[in-house]
Amino acid sequence: MVKPGKSAAGGAGKFYEEPLDSYLPHVGNRGYRVSRYELDLTYKVAGNRLSGKASITAATTEIRAKFAFDLSQSLSVSKVSVNGARPAKYTHQQGKLTITPAHAIPAGGALSVTVQYAGTPRPIRSLWGEVGWEELTEGALVASQPNGAASWFPCDDHPRSKASYQISITTDSPYYALANGALVRKQVRASHTTWVYEQTEPMASYLATIQIGHYERRHADHDGVPMHAVLPPRLRTAFEHDFGRQPQMMKTFVRLFGPYPFADYTVVVTDDELEIPIEAQGISVFGANHCDGRRSAERLVAHELAHQWFGNSLTLGSWRDIWLHEGFACYAEWLWSENSGGPSAQEIATQAHRNLTGLPYDVLLGDPGPELMFDDRVYKRGALTLHALRTALGDEAFFDLLRQWTAKHRHGTVTTEEFTDLAAHYTDRSLRPLWDAWLFQKAMP
């Protein structure tokens, strides 16, 4: 919608800016840095109707006449205010909510934006399928990687924009509602329940999530990191078997990667089947098909847990560096196998290398391009790169490197260059030939 007195996109005063990320050129915004989102949401499951108020706290990085946030056109904005002033002028077009404050805000000034909105949330169509808010048979889930957060709240939807969150979700009382962080308040009023969650550690927008369903919450046995399960009662027995080794898995990864970066860990199992599991900060989401009583998805259980270190605490600053998430999580699958009585990482790496040599050599791991960034070859070649590095450094230095990597950049953003620079401190030999061969050449080393 275009409010009176505002020029539409493409009108006078519009200027071109280089995209923040060439992989997602229309996502992310300039001129401010968000420190906190407070989302007050109400969701009606039967009609898939979402209404909300988003309060966004930010600091400006430059003087600008306008500021933009990412927000799907499936949601209609009814009111915007800036710094407590009277309603501000805005436009909402092509997935951008562009706001004009009544007065110029100096660089380094406070930017407090409140947006009231409502609509029928739908996934955002992307190069990688539909991402974001999605209806279930009974409930809803959010799977936003890489650009689906705008399907349910106004945001700066770029992974470098990490902030704290408070998420309040009110929905029909028979349903359980889960969001990131600690449950700080729950209030039942007649036929509705309000759940309020506080996520204190900085979080990228694509990792924010809502999960709603006919679920029960269970505490898993643990010795260290608190672990929980949110799932339909019918899957309880199968879950206890299929996910029964998660406490040992957690211990293994803490030993290899360093301290778990969040207060606790929750696994959600939906009543619906899901094609692939979903990562969120502090949460992993699996489908009923991943809970079959045979532990057939245990490698995926390891993969999603590893993302809490590699992806959620340490988040890429540019999507070209996706191997820093998926290569590390894939290698964690191999490490879990090695540490739980299965094939060794060397055995799995040998087979993975054999498989990749039979596929086209058209993926550049260090810059795979948007079309291929979620290609399975990025995952496997990323894991092979880490195994090659482990072989070059030796186990002691390699795992010291991983623990230093997760400690140095805890809750921050990372780049490939930062990892390769840090690795150089763990050997007297140049690692440049290794990086050139694995990251910057398409042929298989």
Side-chain angles (χ1 to χ4, degrees):
M1 66 187 296
V2 180
K3 285 291 182 182
K6 291 292 292 180
S7 60
K14 185 176 177 63
F15 58 94
Y16 175 77
E17 289 185 313
E18 287 289 335
L20 289 171
D21 196 314
S22 61
Y23 282 31
L24 288 93
H26 304 297
V27 173
N29 304 283
R30 298 181 186 275
Y32 61 89
R33 185 179 300 276
V34 177
S35 60
R36 183 166 176 83
Y37 293 91
E38 293 185 358
L39 307 178
D40 188 355
L41 309 172
T42 298
Y43 181 65
K44 296 181 179 179
V45 175
N48 186 36
R49 182 73 180 177
L50 179 70
S51 60
K53 182 176 78 170
S55 300
I56 305 168
T57 303
T60 60
T61 57
E62 56 188 272
I63 299 176
R64 297 174 75 94
K66 304 176 182 180
F67 298 92
F69 294 89
D70 300 297
L71 183 65
S72 168
Q73 298 301 139
S74 297
L75 302 170
S76 297
V77 176
S78 57
K79 184 179 179 182
V80 175
S81 63
V82 177
N83 290 349
R86 61 181 181 175
K89 296 178 179 179
Y90 65 90
T91 62
H92 184 199
Q93 297 179 339
Q94 298 178 339
K96 290 289 184 182
L97 174 63
T98 304
I99 301 168
T100 304
H103 305 286
I105 301 173
L111 180 63
S112 177
V113 177
T114 301
V115 181
Q116 294 184 15
Y117 61 99
T120 301
R122 297 185 179 92
I124 292 173
R125 292 182 179 179
S126 75
L127 186 62
W128 313 277
E130 294 188 332
V131 294
W133 190 286
E134 185 174 340
E135 287 185 90
L136 295 172
T137 304
E138 284 284 342
L141 64 77
V142 171
S144 291
Q145 190 181 35
N147 64 325
S151 69
W152 62 289
F153 70 101
C155 58
D156 182 23
D157 200 8
H158 190 277
R160 278 188 299 230
S161 184
K162 301 181 80 168
S164 68
Y165 283 71
Q166 183 183 89
I167 302 176
S168 171
I169 176 72
T170 299
T171 193
D172 305 299
S173 288
Y175 293 94
Y176 189 104
L178 176 72
N180 310 84
L183 178 64
V184 296
R185 189 166 68 255
K186 177 185 175 184
Q187 186 173 15
V188 180
R189 289 182 177 175
S191 61
H192 296 88
T193 302
T194 299
W195 312 70
V196 182
Y197 292 87
E198 183 70 42
Q199 172 64 63
T200 56
E201 296 89 356
M203 177 168 68
S205 53
Y206 84 89
L207 293 168
T209 193
I210 296 280
Q211 304 291 325
I212 298 171
H214 288 301
Y215 301 142
E216 63 175 13
R217 183 175 185 264
R218 298 178 60 80
H219 295 276
D221 291 334
H222 69 90
D223 181 17
V225 178
M227 304 175 76
H228 313 285
V230 173
L231 73 166
R234 73 177 182 87
L235 296 175
R236 183 189 311 162
T237 301
F239 177 89
E240 289 175 353
H241 176 74
D242 292 343
F243 290 76
R245 298 207 294 177
Q246 270 196 144
Q248 299 97 301
M249 195 179 289
M250 179 69 81
K251 285 184 181 179
T252 298
F253 288 172
V254 166
R255 174 170 55 84
L256 299 178
F257 305 149
Y260 179 73
F262 305 110
D264 59 9
Y265 181 59
T266 299
V267 166
V268 177
V269 183
T270 68
D271 218 355
D272 292 32
E273 295 190 354
L274 301 180
E275 183 179 355
I276 57 173
I278 301 159
E279 70 173 283
Q281 189 153 305
I283 299 169
S284 296
V285 183
F286 295 80
N289 50 308
H290 299 122
C291 199
D292 59 9
R294 301 192 302 271
R295 286 186 179 156
S296 59
E298 192 173 69
R299 72 171 187 85
L300 299 176
V301 175
H303 185 105
E304 299 307 320
L305 175 57
H307 271 314
Q308 301 304 322
W309 286 266
F310 309 110
N312 300 350
S313 177
L314 278 65
T315 307
L316 48 75
S318 172
W319 286 107
R320 65 179 290 180
D321 290 330
I322 187 65
W323 83 279
L324 293 175
H325 293 190
E326 302 302 349
F328 280 67
C330 184
Y331 196 56
E333 299 175 29
W334 303 0
L335 292 173
W336 169 243
S337 174
E338 181 174 272
N339 283 271
S340 62
S344 68
Q346 176 63 40
E347 291 174 289
I348 300 172
T350 300
Q351 184 60 50
H353 190 280
R354 185 179 300 120
N355 293 342
L356 287 182
T357 55
L359 298 174
Y361 295 160
D362 59 359
V363 178
L364 195 67
L365 184 61
D367 191 3
E371 294 84 0
L372 295 177
M373 73 172 181
F374 295 117
D375 191 290
D376 188 61
R377 290 170 294 172
V378 171
Y379 294 49
K380 298 300 191 294
R381 183 162 177 151
L384 284 169
T385 301
L386 291 171
H387 192 69
L389 179 63
R390 179 184 176 185
T391 301
L393 298 181
D395 277 14
E396 183 177 359
F398 176 75
F399 290 109
D400 282 348
L401 165 62
L402 293 192
R403 289 186 288 268
Q404 175 66 9
W405 176 240
T406 61
K408 183 176 182 180
H409 298 284
R410 184 179 175 92
H411 302 145
T413 56
V414 291
T415 66
T416 293
E417 291 72 23
E418 287 171 326
F419 183 66
T420 58
D421 287 349
L422 185 63
H425 294 284
Y426 287 82
T427 179
D428 294 330
R429 294 180 296 167
S430 172
L431 294 173
R432 181 50 50 194
L434 186 152
W435 302 128
D436 286 343
W438 284 101
L439 296 178
F440 304 116
Q441 294 179 22
K442 293 183 178 180
M444 278 292 292

